[in-house]
Amino acid sequence: MKLNTKRTILVGLAFLSISSFWQVYDNVIPLILKNTFDVSDTVAGMIMAIDNVLALFMLPLFGKLSDGIDTRLGKRTPFIIGGTISAVIVMIFIPISDNIRSLPLFIGVLFLTLLAMSTYRSPAVALMPDVTPKPLRSKANAIINLMGAVGAMLSLVLIRILVDSSSSPNYLPLFIAIAVIMIVAVSIVIKTINEKKLSHETALINSKFEAPEDNSQEEGAPMAKEVKRSLIFILLSVAFWFMGYNAVTTAFSKYYQFYWGMAGSGYATNLLVATIAAIVSYIPIGIISTKIGRKKTILTGVILLGSMFAIAFIFTSYTPVVNILFAIVGFAWAAINVNSYPMVVEMSKGSDVGKFTGYYYTFSMAAQTATPIISGYLLDQVGYKSLFPYATFFVALSFITMLFVKHGDSKPIPAKTKLEAFDVED
């Protein structure tokens, strides 16, 4: 049985569109708050956490809602279409409000954009396991994350091209370009992916893998205590490594400018290095995880990620060596992300993929709600030197909690199975 790579790439375009927006959000919004509206780091952290506060209830809600509907387009596609259209209409007013220096308008349109993005993130992510057989989900998630990384890289390139080095650049061309990327990507998904048909075929394939000792739930049965324990610990791990990683990605543009004293948007180059490293790593990591297991791959990534953050603390001024650290960060983050989401949905039953996707995002977003506020407060009170020790601490915690996860790992695929009768190859 082989993964349908072409189909997975097409499904991943939905995640590409989402990632392209969030890369701009993480890098540009903090600078607008600082340079245009002179907002303190603590308050900026609170504003940057709005999307995560919304996500705490919006992502589980819309994940569960998409589980329960049945349209001719499928479960997830209607949410993807509606959310994308709403987001691209409202997000254009973000740079307009920056240009006219209207903080109330800026906060208002930012809130509406985040609301629109929250309505379809869980359904878009849940589309992958819906159309991918269980044993192939790590490989598929590698491609999905690769597509997300491509979206992030596109955004970083556009930042370098479309944003000048002045203290008050015009971000409108950048946001228009991102809106175009989102519309084109989702249009291709709608045109090429027959969600309803593929979901039915995948459900039949997955039924061949069900066994009494399976990690997942039986339909209608409560989750076993030991599986629930593993679920809790992996969700805690998700929260902790996002606490560390998101603190860096959210504050790095300011760290680059105000702690290292570097001008312009050169910070995008470092983040681009990490993104390219992740892109190169996703497919090999997907293959490796099927051989050594998802958990071991994640633990390796966590060790590397924490180590790079600890080393970054040593540098009190910018040096090109930072690019090497960020390349390893990209590899490490890829190792974690390729495998963590499949481990969570592996513990679900087939009809609850959207709900468990919501669980995953509840914990990741709870972390990303708290970490900009806490790290922003430390940046104000202790100084920018606190950023990387803060990140290292939470990544170390995730290593400890991950040791207690005993379920959700990948299973070997039989060499010869009846599944060959299904269309699962390219």
PDB file of all heavy atoms in Angstrom, residues 7 11 130-132 192-203:
ATOM      1  N   ARG A   7      -2.616  13.293  -4.497  1.00  0.00           N
ATOM      2  CA  ARG A   7      -3.834  13.655  -3.776  1.00  0.00           C
ATOM      3  C   ARG A   7      -3.505  14.369  -2.473  1.00  0.00           C
ATOM      4  O   ARG A   7      -4.148  15.363  -2.119  1.00  0.00           O
ATOM      5  CB  ARG A   7      -4.658  12.400  -3.489  1.00  0.00           C
ATOM      6  CG  ARG A   7      -5.937  12.658  -2.700  1.00  0.00           C
ATOM      7  CD  ARG A   7      -6.509  11.364  -2.145  1.00  0.00           C
ATOM      8  NE  ARG A   7      -6.794  10.427  -3.213  1.00  0.00           N
ATOM      9  CZ  ARG A   7      -7.069   9.135  -3.005  1.00  0.00           C
ATOM     10  NH1 ARG A   7      -7.032   8.641  -1.767  1.00  0.00           N
ATOM     11  NH2 ARG A   7      -7.340   8.342  -4.015  1.00  0.00           N
ATOM     12  N   VAL A  11      -4.646  18.085  -1.181  1.00  0.00           N
ATOM     13  CA  VAL A  11      -5.302  18.324   0.103  1.00  0.00           C
ATOM     14  C   VAL A  11      -4.510  19.337   0.922  1.00  0.00           C
ATOM     15  O   VAL A  11      -5.068  20.203   1.596  1.00  0.00           O
ATOM     16  CB  VAL A  11      -5.464  16.997   0.888  1.00  0.00           C
ATOM     17  CG1 VAL A  11      -5.910  17.258   2.325  1.00  0.00           C
ATOM     18  CG2 VAL A  11      -6.472  16.081   0.194  1.00  0.00           C
ATOM     19  N   ASP A 130      -9.199  12.145   7.034  1.00  0.00           N
ATOM     20  CA  ASP A 130     -10.437  11.667   6.426  1.00  0.00           C
ATOM     21  C   ASP A 130     -10.180  10.900   5.133  1.00  0.00           C
ATOM     22  O   ASP A 130     -10.910   9.958   4.807  1.00  0.00           O
ATOM     23  CB  ASP A 130     -11.369  12.842   6.108  1.00  0.00           C
ATOM     24  CG  ASP A 130     -12.162  13.307   7.323  1.00  0.00           C
ATOM     25  OD1 ASP A 130     -12.125  12.619   8.363  1.00  0.00           O
ATOM     26  OD2 ASP A 130     -12.810  14.365   7.235  1.00  0.00           O
ATOM     27  N   VAL A 131      -9.159  11.307   4.382  1.00  0.00           N
ATOM     28  CA  VAL A 131      -8.929  10.704   3.067  1.00  0.00           C
ATOM     29  C   VAL A 131      -7.622   9.918   3.014  1.00  0.00           C
ATOM     30  O   VAL A 131      -7.148   9.576   1.926  1.00  0.00           O
ATOM     31  CB  VAL A 131      -8.935  11.794   1.964  1.00  0.00           C
ATOM     32  CG1 VAL A 131     -10.270  12.517   1.940  1.00  0.00           C
ATOM     33  CG2 VAL A 131      -7.792  12.794   2.137  1.00  0.00           C
ATOM     34  N   THR A 132      -7.048   9.608   4.190  1.00  0.00           N
ATOM     35  CA  THR A 132      -5.776   8.887   4.251  1.00  0.00           C
ATOM     36  C   THR A 132      -5.890   7.679   5.170  1.00  0.00           C
ATOM     37  O   THR A 132      -6.287   7.823   6.330  1.00  0.00           O
ATOM     38  CB  THR A 132      -4.648   9.801   4.781  1.00  0.00           C
ATOM     39  OG1 THR A 132      -4.587  10.988   3.985  1.00  0.00           O
ATOM     40  CG2 THR A 132      -3.306   9.084   4.726  1.00  0.00           C
ATOM     41  N   THR A 192     -10.293  19.704  -7.330  1.00  0.00           N
ATOM     42  CA  THR A 192      -9.608  18.420  -7.540  1.00  0.00           C
ATOM     43  C   THR A 192      -9.929  17.334  -6.512  1.00  0.00           C
ATOM     44  O   THR A 192      -9.700  16.150  -6.785  1.00  0.00           O
ATOM     45  CB  THR A 192      -8.087  18.635  -7.549  1.00  0.00           C
ATOM     46  OG1 THR A 192      -7.664  19.218  -6.305  1.00  0.00           O
ATOM     47  CG2 THR A 192      -7.678  19.545  -8.705  1.00  0.00           C
ATOM     48  N   ILE A 193     -10.430  17.708  -5.339  1.00  0.00           N
ATOM     49  CA  ILE A 193     -10.648  16.727  -4.270  1.00  0.00           C
ATOM     50  C   ILE A 193     -12.145  16.464  -4.084  1.00  0.00           C
ATOM     51  O   ILE A 193     -12.904  17.362  -3.691  1.00  0.00           O
ATOM     52  CB  ILE A 193     -10.031  17.200  -2.935  1.00  0.00           C
ATOM     53  CG1 ILE A 193      -8.521  17.368  -3.078  1.00  0.00           C
ATOM     54  CG2 ILE A 193     -10.351  16.206  -1.815  1.00  0.00           C
ATOM     55  CD1 ILE A 193      -7.769  16.096  -3.430  1.00  0.00           C
ATOM     56  N   ASN A 194     -12.555  15.234  -4.383  1.00  0.00           N
ATOM     57  CA  ASN A 194     -13.930  14.804  -4.124  1.00  0.00           C
ATOM     58  C   ASN A 194     -13.974  14.231  -2.710  1.00  0.00           C
ATOM     59  O   ASN A 194     -13.804  13.023  -2.504  1.00  0.00           O
ATOM     60  CB  ASN A 194     -14.372  13.763  -5.151  1.00  0.00           C
ATOM     61  CG  ASN A 194     -15.847  13.410  -5.045  1.00  0.00           C
ATOM     62  OD1 ASN A 194     -16.445  13.513  -3.978  1.00  0.00           O
ATOM     63  ND2 ASN A 194     -16.439  12.992  -6.149  1.00  0.00           N
ATOM     64  N   GLU A 195     -14.162  15.110  -1.735  1.00  0.00           N
ATOM     65  CA  GLU A 195     -14.059  14.710  -0.330  1.00  0.00           C
ATOM     66  C   GLU A 195     -14.999  13.571   0.031  1.00  0.00           C
ATOM     67  O   GLU A 195     -14.607  12.612   0.708  1.00  0.00           O
ATOM     68  CB  GLU A 195     -14.338  15.920   0.572  1.00  0.00           C
ATOM     69  CG  GLU A 195     -14.268  15.585   2.047  1.00  0.00           C
ATOM     70  CD  GLU A 195     -14.938  16.616   2.931  1.00  0.00           C
ATOM     71  OE1 GLU A 195     -15.022  17.787   2.544  1.00  0.00           O
ATOM     72  OE2 GLU A 195     -15.386  16.231   4.033  1.00  0.00           O
ATOM     73  N   LYS A 196     -16.229  13.641  -0.404  1.00  0.00           N
ATOM     74  CA  LYS A 196     -17.227  12.660   0.008  1.00  0.00           C
ATOM     75  C   LYS A 196     -16.858  11.258  -0.473  1.00  0.00           C
ATOM     76  O   LYS A 196     -16.908  10.279   0.285  1.00  0.00           O
ATOM     77  CB  LYS A 196     -18.600  13.066  -0.509  1.00  0.00           C
ATOM     78  CG  LYS A 196     -19.748  12.355   0.193  1.00  0.00           C
ATOM     79  CD  LYS A 196     -21.047  13.096  -0.026  1.00  0.00           C
ATOM     80  CE  LYS A 196     -22.141  12.497   0.850  1.00  0.00           C
ATOM     81  NZ  LYS A 196     -23.404  13.257   0.750  1.00  0.00           N
ATOM     82  N   LYS A 197     -16.461  11.154  -1.728  1.00  0.00           N
ATOM     83  CA  LYS A 197     -16.087   9.856  -2.287  1.00  0.00           C
ATOM     84  C   LYS A 197     -14.833   9.302  -1.616  1.00  0.00           C
ATOM     85  O   LYS A 197     -14.785   8.120  -1.228  1.00  0.00           O
ATOM     86  CB  LYS A 197     -15.858  10.005  -3.794  1.00  0.00           C
ATOM     87  CG  LYS A 197     -15.366   8.726  -4.477  1.00  0.00           C
ATOM     88  CD  LYS A 197     -15.040   9.002  -5.938  1.00  0.00           C
ATOM     89  CE  LYS A 197     -14.437   7.752  -6.588  1.00  0.00           C
ATOM     90  NZ  LYS A 197     -14.041   7.992  -7.997  1.00  0.00           N
ATOM     91  N   LEU A 198     -13.819  10.142  -1.466  1.00  0.00           N
ATOM     92  CA  LEU A 198     -12.553   9.688  -0.890  1.00  0.00           C
ATOM     93  C   LEU A 198     -12.693   9.305   0.572  1.00  0.00           C
ATOM     94  O   LEU A 198     -12.056   8.357   1.033  1.00  0.00           O
ATOM     95  CB  LEU A 198     -11.493  10.774  -1.065  1.00  0.00           C
ATOM     96  CG  LEU A 198     -11.095  11.104  -2.508  1.00  0.00           C
ATOM     97  CD1 LEU A 198     -10.125  12.273  -2.535  1.00  0.00           C
ATOM     98  CD2 LEU A 198     -10.498   9.887  -3.194  1.00  0.00           C
ATOM     99  N   SER A 199     -13.518  10.025   1.319  1.00  0.00           N
ATOM    100  CA  SER A 199     -13.728   9.703   2.732  1.00  0.00           C
ATOM    101  C   SER A 199     -14.370   8.333   2.883  1.00  0.00           C
ATOM    102  O   SER A 199     -14.012   7.553   3.783  1.00  0.00           O
ATOM    103  CB  SER A 199     -14.611  10.765   3.386  1.00  0.00           C
ATOM    104  OG  SER A 199     -13.970  12.016   3.400  1.00  0.00           O
ATOM    105  N   HIS A 200     -15.323   8.029   2.010  1.00  0.00           N
ATOM    106  CA  HIS A 200     -15.980   6.720   2.066  1.00  0.00           C
ATOM    107  C   HIS A 200     -14.993   5.609   1.759  1.00  0.00           C
ATOM    108  O   HIS A 200     -14.944   4.583   2.459  1.00  0.00           O
ATOM    109  CB  HIS A 200     -17.143   6.690   1.071  1.00  0.00           C
ATOM    110  CG  HIS A 200     -17.837   5.358   1.002  1.00  0.00           C
ATOM    111  ND1 HIS A 200     -18.608   4.866   2.036  1.00  0.00           N
ATOM    112  CD2 HIS A 200     -17.858   4.404   0.013  1.00  0.00           C
ATOM    113  CE1 HIS A 200     -19.091   3.679   1.707  1.00  0.00           C
ATOM    114  NE2 HIS A 200     -18.643   3.373   0.478  1.00  0.00           N
ATOM    115  N   GLU A 201     -14.166   5.792   0.731  1.00  0.00           N
ATOM    116  CA  GLU A 201     -13.172   4.779   0.382  1.00  0.00           C
ATOM    117  C   GLU A 201     -12.173   4.562   1.512  1.00  0.00           C
ATOM    118  O   GLU A 201     -11.792   3.427   1.819  1.00  0.00           O
ATOM    119  CB  GLU A 201     -12.438   5.202  -0.890  1.00  0.00           C
ATOM    120  CG  GLU A 201     -13.292   5.188  -2.149  1.00  0.00           C
ATOM    121  CD  GLU A 201     -12.537   5.689  -3.362  1.00  0.00           C
ATOM    122  OE1 GLU A 201     -11.383   6.148  -3.188  1.00  0.00           O
ATOM    123  OE2 GLU A 201     -13.098   5.634  -4.473  1.00  0.00           O
ATOM    124  N   THR A 202     -11.756   5.653   2.143  1.00  0.00           N
ATOM    125  CA  THR A 202     -10.779   5.559   3.230  1.00  0.00           C
ATOM    126  C   THR A 202     -11.361   4.852   4.445  1.00  0.00           C
ATOM    127  O   THR A 202     -10.669   4.075   5.116  1.00  0.00           O
ATOM    128  CB  THR A 202     -10.283   6.962   3.623  1.00  0.00           C
ATOM    129  OG1 THR A 202      -9.721   7.598   2.476  1.00  0.00           O
ATOM    130  CG2 THR A 202      -9.231   6.881   4.723  1.00  0.00           C
ATOM    131  N   ALA A 203     -12.626   5.105   4.751  1.00  0.00           N
ATOM    132  CA  ALA A 203     -13.283   4.434   5.874  1.00  0.00           C
ATOM    133  C   ALA A 203     -13.301   2.925   5.664  1.00  0.00           C
ATOM    134  O   ALA A 203     -13.094   2.147   6.611  1.00  0.00           O
ATOM    135  CB  ALA A 203     -14.698   4.967   6.046  1.00  0.00           C
TER     136      ALA A 203
END
